[in-house]
């Protein structure tokens, strides 16, 4: 299983970006998809997650500005980011908890990270 993230870049404060992350390979089920971020000198933090049943969780810092969604048919998770602030700048990582084979536990998979820079 591999995760491929895309969509980062440079945006001005107040702007928007959309991140995507697609999983490929043989798998039985993706139970949770999510996004994390890590700024220089900081620990990686949760941004948003979405379960297979559609339950969504956001970090307080992004509530009302970011929207996570998933396309199960495409094994893809999206993060629509709006009203971006300089403090949102970080490397964003997608994460998926995937059951590769039926009747086994899930494993954590990470994308390669995509840089988001918010600057005027």
């Amino acid at each position: 299983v591999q995760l491929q993230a895309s969509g980062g870049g440079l945006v001005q404060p107040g702007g928007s970006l959309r991140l995507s992350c697609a999983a490929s390979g043989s798998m039985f089920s993706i139970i949770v998809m999510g996004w994390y971020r890590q700024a220089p000198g900081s620990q990686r933090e949760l941004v948003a997650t979405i379960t297979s049943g559609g339950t969504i969780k956001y970090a307080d810092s992004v509530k009302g500005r970011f929207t996570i969604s998933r396309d199960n048919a495409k094994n893809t998770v999206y993060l629509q980011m709006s009203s971006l602030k300089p403090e949102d700048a970080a490397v964003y990582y997608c994460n998926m908890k995937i059951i590769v084979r039926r009747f086994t536990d899930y494993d954590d998979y990470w994308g390669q990270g995509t840089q988001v820079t918010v600057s005027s």
Side-chain angles (χ1 to χ4, degrees):
V1 175
Q2 290 188 326
L3 305 188
Q4 181 67 45
S6 61
L10 171 64
V11 64
Q12 292 186 341
S16 299
L17 278 176
R18 188 192 195 209
L19 306 182
S20 301
C21 178
S24 61
S26 178
M27 66 196 83
F28 175 70
S29 176
I30 304 175
I31 57 175
V32 183
M33 296 180 173
W35 291 94
Y36 292 72
R37 67 186 181 187
Q38 187 168 18
S42 300
Q43 290 188 334
R44 189 173 298 187
E45 63 176 4
L46 180 147
V47 176
T49 59
I50 181 168
T51 69
S52 57
T55 299
I56 291 174
K57 177 180 179 180
Y58 292 106
D60 288 342
S61 59
V62 307
K63 283 181 181 177
R65 301 187 298 120
F66 290 12
T67 301
I68 189 170
S69 60
R70 63 189 283 170
D71 185 331
N72 291 327
K74 296 181 178 180
N75 292 332
T76 299
V77 62
Y78 305 97
L79 185 69
Q80 178 67 48
M81 305 184 292
S82 302
S83 303
L84 282 160
K85 304 175 182 180
E87 52 264 41
D88 293 317
V91 177
Y92 283 69
Y93 297 91
C94 59
N95 169 267
M96 297 190 189
K97 300 186 186 305
I98 301 174
I99 298 174
V100 174
R101 288 180 298 278
R102 194 176 183 184
F103 304 124
T104 63
D105 203 351
Y106 71 84
D107 291 309
D108 265 311
Y109 292 88
W110 293 90
Q112 82 278 17
T114 184
Q115 178 72 49
V116 172
T117 302
V118 184
S119 175
S120 55

